[in-house]
């Protein structure tokens, strides 16, 4: 009989980078809650805003995502060991003593640290998202007990094709050029020339990171381990097209002879159109009286001219008038400022909201089917299980409660 997921982690130690990020916190909580017999979880942390790593860890564990652990398994904190370091530094910035500990103890590595800023300088993105991955891989090669390497990536890495297969795609440039580009620190115009048809420097760097992981692992024939890739899929601003994918970790099985990828995506199994997404979020917004703009609504168009016209008629003009009325009444204007923020986000995301992609998920389907019935309940990563009409309102209420610190009008959130 095959081991359960929890049994495979029992008595073994884990190393996680990017643990303070959105996915990292969820991953840490899930491992500690559902695989409670894990021996130790080492997490890479750096001091930030004058806080030590111990202070950052304490603050993080007080967040709502860890509430059930604090209620039901209070001793979980004893299994967490912070490691001072930074993926942007050589050797991950880890002390020799901590490196020895990781080399001798760790069986599973989750690499989730990354810069996700679409408009960050290319050299910074390459240093963190590509060289950072190489630094983690170099450490993994020294680990005596290593079984699995997990890399968190994004489906935005591969936007050149309408249908994305479960495989690692070739690097758009020779990987040997990365160090030169980091040292060159190209400006905005030079960056556009380098990334070519890629949506932005972020997706470009993530594609290089995947290619590097596959190439470097392929060259190390004496190492047998698996690597996981968490992908986030995209959308088109046609009301009939698929909305942003909800995803789970996909899996790359790296062997000297083959590279196998498992992608978890909803475009083929449980698609969500933009119109349905907007309908669900608008309902939640009105229910919570959470619309900062007076008349929350969205119009879909693929025409640039019509976009400019509708923006002027439906947004700029009325909101300019609304600000004028605020001034007359002695209040500070606010609507044009809100509009500018919305337009900035719209422009950055335009490439993703004007295109649509579908993703092969057969390997992921087979992977989920191989789990025992109890593990399928504990780790429900199949996209077919998603109910959007339930998920989106809960997601929206979560933003209201945890990001904006307000109580949703009706919510089952604890």
């Amino acid at each position: 009989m095959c081991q359960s997921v929890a049994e495979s982690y029992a008595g073994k130690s884990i190393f996680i980078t990017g643990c303070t990020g959105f996915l990292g916190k969820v991953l840490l909580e899930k491992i500690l809650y559902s695989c409670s017999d894990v021996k130790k979880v080492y997490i890479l942390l750096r001091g930030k805003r004058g806080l030590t790593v111990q202070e950052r860890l304490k603050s993080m564990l007080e967040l709502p995502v860890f509430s059930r652990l604090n209620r039901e398994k209070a001793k979980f904190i004893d299994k967490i060991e912070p490691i001072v370091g930074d993926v942007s530094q050589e050797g991950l910035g880890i002390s020799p003593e901590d490196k020895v500990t990781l080399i001798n103890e760790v069986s599973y590595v989750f690499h989730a640290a990354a810069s996700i800023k679409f408009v960050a300088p290319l050299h910074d993105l390459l240093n963190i998202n590509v060289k950072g991955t190489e630094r983690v891989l170099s450490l993994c090669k020294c680990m005596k007990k290593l079984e699995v390497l997990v890399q968190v990536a994004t489906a935005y890495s591969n936007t050149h094709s309408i249908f994305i297969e479960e495989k690692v795609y070739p690097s758009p440039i020779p990987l040997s050029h990365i160090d030169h580009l980091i040292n060159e620190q190209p400006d905005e115009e030079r960056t556009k020339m380098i990334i070519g048809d890629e949506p932005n420097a972020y997706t470009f760097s993530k594609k290089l990171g995947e290619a590097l992981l596959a190439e470097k692992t392929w060259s190390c024939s004496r190492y047998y381990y698996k690597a996981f890739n968490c992908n986030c899929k995209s959308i088109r601003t046609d009301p009939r097209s698929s909305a942003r994918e909800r995803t789970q970790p996909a899996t790359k099985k790296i062997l000297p002879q083959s590279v196998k990828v498992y992608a978890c995506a909803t475009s083929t199994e449980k698609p969500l159109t933009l119109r349905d997404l907007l309908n669900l979020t608008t309902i939640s917004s009105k229910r919570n009286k959470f619309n900062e703009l007076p008349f929350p609504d969205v119009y879909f168009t693929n025409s640039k001219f019509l976009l400019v016209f509708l923006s002027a008629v439906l947004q700029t003009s009325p909101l300019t008038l609304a600000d004028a009325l605020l001034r007359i009444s002695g209040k500070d204007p606010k609507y044009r400022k809100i509009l500018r923020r919305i337009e900035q986000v719209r422009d950055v995301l335009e490439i993703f909201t004007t295109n649509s992609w579908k993703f092969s998920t057969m390997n992921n389907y087979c992977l989920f089917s191989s789990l025992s019935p109890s593990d399928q309940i504990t780790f429900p990563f199949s996209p077919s299980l998603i109910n959007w009409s339930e998920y989106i309102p809960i997601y929206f209420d979560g933003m209201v409660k945890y990001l904006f610190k307000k109580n949703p009008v009706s919510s089952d959130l604890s």
Side-chain angles (χ1 to χ4, degrees), residues 184-205:
E184 178 188 345
Q185 299 190 7
D187 59 19
E188 186 175 346
E189 287 303 314
R190 170 79 170 131
T191 294
K192 289 179 181 178
M193 293 177 59
I194 294 168
I195 69 175
D197 294 333
E198 295 297 324
N200 52 53
Y202 163 71
T203 61
F204 178 78
S205 70

PDB file of all heavy atoms in Angstrom, residues 184-205:
ATOM      1  N   GLU A 184      24.753  44.371 -16.321  1.00  0.00           N
ATOM      2  CA  GLU A 184      24.482  45.471 -17.247  1.00  0.00           C
ATOM      3  C   GLU A 184      23.438  46.439 -16.705  1.00  0.00           C
ATOM      4  O   GLU A 184      23.491  47.641 -16.941  1.00  0.00           O
ATOM      5  CB  GLU A 184      23.998  44.911 -18.590  1.00  0.00           C
ATOM      6  CG  GLU A 184      23.629  45.982 -19.615  1.00  0.00           C
ATOM      7  CD  GLU A 184      22.971  45.387 -20.848  1.00  0.00           C
ATOM      8  OE1 GLU A 184      23.038  44.162 -21.049  1.00  0.00           O
ATOM      9  OE2 GLU A 184      22.357  46.158 -21.608  1.00  0.00           O
ATOM     10  N   GLN A 185      22.453  45.903 -15.969  1.00  0.00           N
ATOM     11  CA  GLN A 185      21.341  46.695 -15.445  1.00  0.00           C
ATOM     12  C   GLN A 185      20.680  47.509 -16.569  1.00  0.00           C
ATOM     13  O   GLN A 185      20.708  48.744 -16.578  1.00  0.00           O
ATOM     14  CB  GLN A 185      21.810  47.630 -14.325  1.00  0.00           C
ATOM     15  CG  GLN A 185      22.398  46.886 -13.131  1.00  0.00           C
ATOM     16  CD  GLN A 185      22.646  47.781 -11.937  1.00  0.00           C
ATOM     17  OE1 GLN A 185      22.278  48.951 -11.919  1.00  0.00           O
ATOM     18  NE2 GLN A 185      23.276  47.249 -10.909  1.00  0.00           N
ATOM     19  N   PRO A 186      20.075  46.820 -17.549  1.00  0.00           N
ATOM     20  CA  PRO A 186      19.501  47.499 -18.717  1.00  0.00           C
ATOM     21  C   PRO A 186      18.381  48.456 -18.346  1.00  0.00           C
ATOM     22  O   PRO A 186      17.610  48.197 -17.415  1.00  0.00           O
ATOM     23  CB  PRO A 186      18.982  46.337 -19.578  1.00  0.00           C
ATOM     24  CG  PRO A 186      18.815  45.200 -18.624  1.00  0.00           C
ATOM     25  CD  PRO A 186      19.871  45.363 -17.587  1.00  0.00           C
ATOM     26  N   ASP A 187      18.284  49.561 -19.088  1.00  0.00           N
ATOM     27  CA  ASP A 187      17.209  50.523 -18.856  1.00  0.00           C
ATOM     28  C   ASP A 187      15.922  50.016 -19.497  1.00  0.00           C
ATOM     29  O   ASP A 187      15.860  48.912 -20.061  1.00  0.00           O
ATOM     30  CB  ASP A 187      17.584  51.901 -19.397  1.00  0.00           C
ATOM     31  CG  ASP A 187      17.871  51.882 -20.895  1.00  0.00           C
ATOM     32  OD1 ASP A 187      17.448  50.935 -21.594  1.00  0.00           O
ATOM     33  OD2 ASP A 187      18.532  52.821 -21.381  1.00  0.00           O
ATOM     34  N   GLU A 188      14.855  50.832 -19.434  1.00  0.00           N
ATOM     35  CA  GLU A 188      13.541  50.391 -19.887  1.00  0.00           C
ATOM     36  C   GLU A 188      13.521  50.030 -21.371  1.00  0.00           C
ATOM     37  O   GLU A 188      12.950  49.001 -21.762  1.00  0.00           O
ATOM     38  CB  GLU A 188      12.501  51.481 -19.603  1.00  0.00           C
ATOM     39  CG  GLU A 188      11.076  51.058 -19.905  1.00  0.00           C
ATOM     40  CD  GLU A 188      10.065  52.111 -19.493  1.00  0.00           C
ATOM     41  OE1 GLU A 188      10.436  53.035 -18.750  1.00  0.00           O
ATOM     42  OE2 GLU A 188       8.901  52.012 -19.917  1.00  0.00           O
ATOM     43  N   GLU A 189      14.139  50.854 -22.203  1.00  0.00           N
ATOM     44  CA  GLU A 189      14.141  50.582 -23.637  1.00  0.00           C
ATOM     45  C   GLU A 189      14.927  49.320 -23.966  1.00  0.00           C
ATOM     46  O   GLU A 189      14.508  48.501 -24.788  1.00  0.00           O
ATOM     47  CB  GLU A 189      14.723  51.782 -24.390  1.00  0.00           C
ATOM     48  CG  GLU A 189      13.798  52.981 -24.431  1.00  0.00           C
ATOM     49  CD  GLU A 189      12.447  52.648 -25.046  1.00  0.00           C
ATOM     50  OE1 GLU A 189      12.440  51.984 -26.111  1.00  0.00           O
ATOM     51  OE2 GLU A 189      11.415  53.028 -24.471  1.00  0.00           O
ATOM     52  N   ARG A 190      16.081  49.176 -23.325  1.00  0.00           N
ATOM     53  CA  ARG A 190      16.897  47.984 -23.550  1.00  0.00           C
ATOM     54  C   ARG A 190      16.178  46.737 -23.050  1.00  0.00           C
ATOM     55  O   ARG A 190      16.237  45.670 -23.675  1.00  0.00           O
ATOM     56  CB  ARG A 190      18.227  48.162 -22.829  1.00  0.00           C
ATOM     57  CG  ARG A 190      19.100  46.930 -22.756  1.00  0.00           C
ATOM     58  CD  ARG A 190      19.835  46.678 -24.034  1.00  0.00           C
ATOM     59  NE  ARG A 190      20.822  45.630 -23.835  1.00  0.00           N
ATOM     60  CZ  ARG A 190      20.967  44.574 -24.626  1.00  0.00           C
ATOM     61  NH1 ARG A 190      20.215  44.439 -25.709  1.00  0.00           N
ATOM     62  NH2 ARG A 190      21.893  43.657 -24.383  1.00  0.00           N
ATOM     63  N   THR A 191      15.448  46.862 -21.942  1.00  0.00           N
ATOM     64  CA  THR A 191      14.680  45.737 -21.413  1.00  0.00           C
ATOM     65  C   THR A 191      13.635  45.272 -22.412  1.00  0.00           C
ATOM     66  O   THR A 191      13.451  44.066 -22.623  1.00  0.00           O
ATOM     67  CB  THR A 191      14.002  46.128 -20.082  1.00  0.00           C
ATOM     68  OG1 THR A 191      15.007  46.371 -19.091  1.00  0.00           O
ATOM     69  CG2 THR A 191      13.081  45.019 -19.593  1.00  0.00           C
ATOM     70  N   LYS A 192      12.949  46.209 -23.055  1.00  0.00           N
ATOM     71  CA  LYS A 192      11.942  45.843 -24.060  1.00  0.00           C
ATOM     72  C   LYS A 192      12.564  45.057 -25.203  1.00  0.00           C
ATOM     73  O   LYS A 192      11.957  44.118 -25.727  1.00  0.00           O
ATOM     74  CB  LYS A 192      11.253  47.103 -24.583  1.00  0.00           C
ATOM     75  CG  LYS A 192      10.330  47.776 -23.578  1.00  0.00           C
ATOM     76  CD  LYS A 192       9.703  49.044 -24.161  1.00  0.00           C
ATOM     77  CE  LYS A 192       8.794  49.715 -23.143  1.00  0.00           C
ATOM     78  NZ  LYS A 192       8.204  50.970 -23.675  1.00  0.00           N
ATOM     79  N   MET A 193      13.762  45.440 -25.591  1.00  0.00           N
ATOM     80  CA  MET A 193      14.449  44.722 -26.668  1.00  0.00           C
ATOM     81  C   MET A 193      14.815  43.307 -26.228  1.00  0.00           C
ATOM     82  O   MET A 193      14.701  42.353 -27.008  1.00  0.00           O
ATOM     83  CB  MET A 193      15.715  45.480 -27.073  1.00  0.00           C
ATOM     84  CG  MET A 193      15.472  46.821 -27.741  1.00  0.00           C
ATOM     85  SD  MET A 193      17.033  47.686 -28.092  1.00  0.00           S
ATOM     86  CE  MET A 193      17.854  46.474 -29.147  1.00  0.00           C
ATOM     87  N   ILE A 194      15.218  43.160 -24.971  1.00  0.00           N
ATOM     88  CA  ILE A 194      15.668  41.855 -24.473  1.00  0.00           C
ATOM     89  C   ILE A 194      14.513  40.884 -24.317  1.00  0.00           C
ATOM     90  O   ILE A 194      14.596  39.718 -24.725  1.00  0.00           O
ATOM     91  CB  ILE A 194      16.402  42.021 -23.126  1.00  0.00           C
ATOM     92  CG1 ILE A 194      17.699  42.803 -23.322  1.00  0.00           C
ATOM     93  CG2 ILE A 194      16.697  40.663 -22.489  1.00  0.00           C
ATOM     94  CD1 ILE A 194      18.331  43.260 -22.025  1.00  0.00           C
ATOM     95  N   ILE A 195      13.396  41.353 -23.738  1.00  0.00           N
ATOM     96  CA  ILE A 195      12.286  40.432 -23.454  1.00  0.00           C
ATOM     97  C   ILE A 195      11.443  40.144 -24.683  1.00  0.00           C
ATOM     98  O   ILE A 195      10.662  39.177 -24.697  1.00  0.00           O
ATOM     99  CB  ILE A 195      11.405  40.962 -22.303  1.00  0.00           C
ATOM    100  CG1 ILE A 195      10.617  42.207 -22.729  1.00  0.00           C
ATOM    101  CG2 ILE A 195      12.228  41.224 -21.058  1.00  0.00           C
ATOM    102  CD1 ILE A 195       9.645  42.686 -21.656  1.00  0.00           C
ATOM    103  N   GLY A 196      11.559  40.955 -25.728  1.00  0.00           N
ATOM    104  CA  GLY A 196      10.850  40.684 -26.970  1.00  0.00           C
ATOM    105  C   GLY A 196       9.352  40.648 -26.801  1.00  0.00           C
ATOM    106  O   GLY A 196       8.735  41.608 -26.327  1.00  0.00           O
ATOM    107  N   ASP A 197       8.733  39.521 -27.160  1.00  0.00           N
ATOM    108  CA  ASP A 197       7.281  39.390 -27.129  1.00  0.00           C
ATOM    109  C   ASP A 197       6.744  38.973 -25.767  1.00  0.00           C
ATOM    110  O   ASP A 197       5.531  38.768 -25.619  1.00  0.00           O
ATOM    111  CB  ASP A 197       6.826  38.366 -28.181  1.00  0.00           C
ATOM    112  CG  ASP A 197       7.095  38.838 -29.604  1.00  0.00           C
ATOM    113  OD1 ASP A 197       7.123  40.074 -29.809  1.00  0.00           O
ATOM    114  OD2 ASP A 197       7.297  37.986 -30.488  1.00  0.00           O
ATOM    115  N   GLU A 198       7.604  38.798 -24.791  1.00  0.00           N
ATOM    116  CA  GLU A 198       7.127  38.442 -23.453  1.00  0.00           C
ATOM    117  C   GLU A 198       6.291  39.585 -22.877  1.00  0.00           C
ATOM    118  O   GLU A 198       6.574  40.756 -23.134  1.00  0.00           O
ATOM    119  CB  GLU A 198       8.300  38.160 -22.525  1.00  0.00           C
ATOM    120  CG  GLU A 198       9.127  36.949 -22.916  1.00  0.00           C
ATOM    121  CD  GLU A 198       8.343  35.655 -22.859  1.00  0.00           C
ATOM    122  OE1 GLU A 198       7.488  35.510 -21.954  1.00  0.00           O
ATOM    123  OE2 GLU A 198       8.570  34.789 -23.709  1.00  0.00           O
ATOM    124  N   PRO A 199       5.252  39.292 -22.082  1.00  0.00           N
ATOM    125  CA  PRO A 199       4.373  40.339 -21.548  1.00  0.00           C
ATOM    126  C   PRO A 199       5.096  41.404 -20.739  1.00  0.00           C
ATOM    127  O   PRO A 199       4.804  42.585 -20.851  1.00  0.00           O
ATOM    128  CB  PRO A 199       3.380  39.554 -20.676  1.00  0.00           C
ATOM    129  CG  PRO A 199       3.363  38.185 -21.255  1.00  0.00           C
ATOM    130  CD  PRO A 199       4.764  37.943 -21.740  1.00  0.00           C
ATOM    131  N   ASN A 200       6.035  40.991 -19.911  1.00  0.00           N
ATOM    132  CA  ASN A 200       6.783  41.940 -19.089  1.00  0.00           C
ATOM    133  C   ASN A 200       8.025  41.253 -18.541  1.00  0.00           C
ATOM    134  O   ASN A 200       8.242  40.054 -18.754  1.00  0.00           O
ATOM    135  CB  ASN A 200       5.913  42.493 -17.950  1.00  0.00           C
ATOM    136  CG  ASN A 200       5.255  41.389 -17.149  1.00  0.00           C
ATOM    137  OD1 ASN A 200       5.916  40.478 -16.676  1.00  0.00           O
ATOM    138  ND2 ASN A 200       3.938  41.461 -17.004  1.00  0.00           N
ATOM    139  N   ALA A 201       8.842  42.026 -17.845  1.00  0.00           N
ATOM    140  CA  ALA A 201      10.105  41.483 -17.332  1.00  0.00           C
ATOM    141  C   ALA A 201       9.875  40.397 -16.283  1.00  0.00           C
ATOM    142  O   ALA A 201      10.697  39.475 -16.134  1.00  0.00           O
ATOM    143  CB  ALA A 201      10.955  42.609 -16.751  1.00  0.00           C
ATOM    144  N   TYR A 202       8.782  40.473 -15.553  1.00  0.00           N
ATOM    145  CA  TYR A 202       8.485  39.460 -14.532  1.00  0.00           C
ATOM    146  C   TYR A 202       8.273  38.086 -15.167  1.00  0.00           C
ATOM    147  O   TYR A 202       8.906  37.103 -14.775  1.00  0.00           O
ATOM    148  CB  TYR A 202       7.251  39.870 -13.733  1.00  0.00           C
ATOM    149  CG  TYR A 202       6.641  38.739 -12.952  1.00  0.00           C
ATOM    150  CD1 TYR A 202       7.276  38.214 -11.830  1.00  0.00           C
ATOM    151  CD2 TYR A 202       5.418  38.177 -13.343  1.00  0.00           C
ATOM    152  CE1 TYR A 202       6.721  37.160 -11.117  1.00  0.00           C
ATOM    153  CE2 TYR A 202       4.862  37.124 -12.636  1.00  0.00           C
ATOM    154  CZ  TYR A 202       5.510  36.615 -11.532  1.00  0.00           C
ATOM    155  OH  TYR A 202       4.966  35.564 -10.837  1.00  0.00           O
ATOM    156  N   THR A 203       7.363  37.997 -16.157  1.00  0.00           N
ATOM    157  CA  THR A 203       7.099  36.703 -16.782  1.00  0.00           C
ATOM    158  C   THR A 203       8.340  36.190 -17.496  1.00  0.00           C
ATOM    159  O   THR A 203       8.603  34.987 -17.524  1.00  0.00           O
ATOM    160  CB  THR A 203       5.929  36.800 -17.770  1.00  0.00           C
ATOM    161  OG1 THR A 203       6.249  37.733 -18.810  1.00  0.00           O
ATOM    162  CG2 THR A 203       4.665  37.259 -17.080  1.00  0.00           C
ATOM    163  N   PHE A 204       9.100  37.108 -18.065  1.00  0.00           N
ATOM    164  CA  PHE A 204      10.353  36.743 -18.720  1.00  0.00           C
ATOM    165  C   PHE A 204      11.294  36.070 -17.725  1.00  0.00           C
ATOM    166  O   PHE A 204      11.877  35.017 -17.997  1.00  0.00           O
ATOM    167  CB  PHE A 204      10.990  38.005 -19.303  1.00  0.00           C
ATOM    168  CG  PHE A 204      12.313  37.800 -19.972  1.00  0.00           C
ATOM    169  CD1 PHE A 204      12.392  37.272 -21.248  1.00  0.00           C
ATOM    170  CD2 PHE A 204      13.498  38.157 -19.332  1.00  0.00           C
ATOM    171  CE1 PHE A 204      13.616  37.095 -21.877  1.00  0.00           C
ATOM    172  CE2 PHE A 204      14.723  37.989 -19.947  1.00  0.00           C
ATOM    173  CZ  PHE A 204      14.785  37.452 -21.229  1.00  0.00           C
ATOM    174  N   SER A 205      11.438  36.657 -16.543  1.00  0.00           N
ATOM    175  CA  SER A 205      12.342  36.101 -15.535  1.00  0.00           C
ATOM    176  C   SER A 205      11.856  34.751 -15.025  1.00  0.00           C
ATOM    177  O   SER A 205      12.657  33.853 -14.754  1.00  0.00           O
ATOM    178  CB  SER A 205      12.497  37.080 -14.360  1.00  0.00           C
ATOM    179  OG  SER A 205      11.308  37.172 -13.600  1.00  0.00           O
TER     180      SER A 205
END
